[in-house]
Amino acid sequence: MGTDSPPPAADKNRYSLSEHTFSAPNLEPALYIVSTPIGNLGDITVRALETLAASSVIACEDTRVTATLTRKFGLKTPLLAYHEHNADRQRPRILAELQAGRAVALVSDAGTPLVSDPGYRLVRDVVAEGYNVIPVPGASAPLAGLVASGLPSDTVLFAGFLPQKGGPKSKRLAELARVPATLIFFESPHRTGATLALMAETLGGERDAVVAREVTKRFETFERGTLAELAERFADRQVKGEIVILIGPAEEKPEDEGGDLDALLLEALEDMPVSTAAKKVAKATGLDRNEVYKRALDLKSGDA
């Protein structure tokens, strides 16, 4: 089933840690979502090792990546490639393991949560079939970045990856502009500078932000500043490694800041189309552009 041959009986449920070998206890049949290190292999937990050792198979995005982990800790559990290109074919094989009363581990190259992989679909199907799903917590780039950022952590929104194209990307950022929470994004290194510039324009250049790079790895860095400062700093920089961008919540602004909304809109509508007037007033007041646009339409049609 996996890329490796089944381990000898003597090696079953075994793992190594600091040159000592241990035997993991048997597991109840279930799908185990195992958080694995996102860079530093020392971040593995004992529970994760026991789970990986006692599972019948480890489903993973790239067997070469996960093999580095299994070799490091002496794990003999077979590996099964499970990614977006073969998920439909492999999912029934995983369900068959559960039906046979075995434990299956699922790991992700990107750590936790299951981002940019089909893991959540597998969880959904396993639950639908009536099997247990058990999380094994561990390393997480969004949480690691958050706790070291110095940004408010009482309310947080993890937004994952933004759309790559400009229009949908700007629209998504506009939707998030007024969310009263610290925003967390993943980003590709070669798009980091352009994304920060768009964030400064759309969300407000005065917002506090942090760019966390290579979290838990050897060259881990945290760069702090306002969005405008970070956009300028990264504008012409060649960025390498995995990136997490964290943005503090927008400051509360009173509804009538910058003058009465209707008065500002009526003045702008005298010589501007509705969309242009709404954009101008939204930028001046810090109010949500969509709400300002709806109000401008009402004023223009005389329904106000």
Side-chain angles (χ1 to χ4, degrees):
M1 180 176 186
T3 58
D4 299 336
S5 301
D11 290 335
K12 182 174 173 54
N13 291 23
R14 307 284 263 183
Y15 67 94
S16 299
L17 187 60
S18 298
E19 300 183 358
H20 298 282
T21 301
F22 302 89
S23 182
N26 292 327
L27 296 171
E28 64 174 282
L31 175 67
Y32 292 81
I33 312 300
V34 183
S35 297
T36 52
I38 55 177
N40 190 325
L41 292 180
D43 291 335
I44 194 74
T45 68
V46 172
R47 186 184 176 200
L49 288 173
E50 289 182 343
T51 302
L52 296 174
S55 295
S56 66
V57 66
I58 300 172
C60 52
E61 293 177 78
D62 189 330
T63 56
R64 295 167 298 181
V65 172
T66 304
T68 301
L69 180 74
T70 57
R71 284 194 299 267
K72 168 72 175 177
F73 296 105
L75 296 164
K76 303 300 182 182
T77 309
L79 304 179
L80 173 69
Y82 178 77
H83 47 72
E84 60 180 346
H85 302 295
N86 71 359
D88 291 340
R89 184 174 71 255
Q90 299 289 50
R91 201 172 295 127
R93 301 175 67 180
I94 293 173
L95 290 172
E97 289 288 299
L98 296 173
Q99 186 176 17
R102 303 187 182 105
V104 175
L106 172 67
V107 302
S108 169
D109 290 351
T112 306
L114 298 174
V115 178
S116 297
D117 67 39
Y120 80 92
R121 298 188 187 93
L122 177 61
V123 171
R124 180 188 59 197
D125 291 348
V126 167
V127 171
E129 292 292 330
Y131 300 113
N132 287 338
V133 177
I134 299 175
V136 181
S140 170
L143 291 180
L146 177 65
V147 298
S149 70
L151 298 173
S153 57
D154 54 339
T155 307
V156 176
L157 189 151
F158 175 68
F161 284 100
L162 289 166
Q164 294 186 23
K165 295 185 178 179
K169 191 173 188 176
S170 297
K171 180 180 178 182
R172 179 60 176 151
L173 285 172
E175 293 170 348
L176 297 170
R178 304 300 296 173
V179 175
T182 292
L183 307 177
I184 305 177
F185 302 87
F186 285 159
E187 187 51 284
S188 167
H190 70 271
R191 289 196 297 268
T192 299
T195 295
L196 287 168
L198 185 60
M199 286 174 166
E201 177 185 342
T202 308
L203 303 179
E206 74 286 351
R207 289 175 70 161
D208 290 331
V210 175
V211 176
R213 187 180 69 87
E214 293 288 87
V215 175
T216 80
K217 302 181 179 70
R218 179 182 177 186
F219 297 106
E220 173 184 274
T221 60
F222 290 86
E223 298 206 34
R224 299 172 172 85
T226 65
L227 271 176
E229 291 168 345
L230 290 172
E232 182 177 358
R233 205 179 303 168
F234 280 84
D236 299 314
R237 185 184 299 186
Q238 294 293 324
V239 183
K240 295 182 180 180
E242 296 181 355
I243 303 295
V244 180
I245 299 175
L246 304 100
I247 303 170
E251 292 185 7
E252 290 291 335
K253 295 183 179 181
E255 288 294 313
D256 62 351
E257 183 172 317
D260 178 75
L261 175 60
D262 286 2
L264 290 171
L265 282 173
L266 288 170
E267 181 181 355
L269 287 168
E270 289 180 1
D271 55 7
M272 295 180 186
V274 173
S275 60
T276 305
K279 182 178 180 180
K280 177 183 177 180
V281 173
K283 185 174 183 179
T285 61
L287 299 175
D288 180 81
R289 187 184 300 179
N290 291 331
E291 293 302 318
V292 175
Y293 180 73
K294 292 177 184 177
R295 185 60 177 165
L297 285 176
D298 290 340
L299 292 170
K300 189 73 173 178
S301 64
D303 292 338

